[in-house]
Amino acid sequence: MANRHLLPRNTEAYGGDFPLCPWCKEPPYSLALPLDAVLAHLQRGFDHWVERSDDGSTDADIVCDCPSCAKPFAVALKSSGVALLPVRTAADLRLMEGRP
């Protein structure tokens, strides 16, 4: 029963590869990233290590929903490629804590 709150593994893409959604494993080709979020991520440092806690919250500047499954993930831009980290929404966290 405790396993139902586990997050899937992060996905990564290097070089010319395209990353896959960590939830549905589909490539989010039509994903639009807000420019202000990309700039905030780059200002923190191109290789800033994006953190995600066990409950699914994150310090990432770029968090968006998959265009295929609508589940949220954080985007980590690295000099070597891109990583997508599954995260939880604030509503998910409230529900898991039993709050409205």
Side-chain angles (χ1 to χ4, degrees), residues 49-71:
W49 186 259
V50 174
E51 298 287 334
R52 186 195 65 212
S53 63
D54 290 340
D55 69 0
S57 59
T58 184
D59 71 341
D61 296 302
I62 307 170
V63 177
C64 44
D65 295 333
C66 174
S68 296
C69 69
K71 292 189 178 180

Side-chain angles (χ1 to χ4, degrees), residues 5-10 23 44 48-60 63 72-74 84-90 92-94 96-97:
H5 297 304
L6 291 179
L7 294 167
R9 292 182 175 267
N10 301 344
W23 295 98
R44 286 175 71 176
H48 166 72
W49 186 259
V50 174
E51 298 287 334
R52 186 195 65 212
S53 63
D54 290 340
D55 69 0
S57 59
T58 184
D59 71 341
V63 177
F73 56 76
L84 303 181
L85 297 77
V87 296
R88 301 267 186 218
T89 65
D92 290 337
L93 296 173
R94 285 194 308 272
M96 289 173 18
E97 292 173 357

Side-chain angles (χ1 to χ4, degrees), residues 26-59:
E26 292 293 322
Y29 290 125
S30 63
L31 181 66
L33 298 179
L35 186 56
D36 62 336
V38 173
L39 292 174
H41 180 77
L42 294 176
Q43 287 175 348
R44 286 175 71 176
F46 194 66
D47 282 325
H48 166 72
W49 186 259
V50 174
E51 298 287 334
R52 186 195 65 212
S53 63
D54 290 340
D55 69 0
S57 59
T58 184
D59 71 341

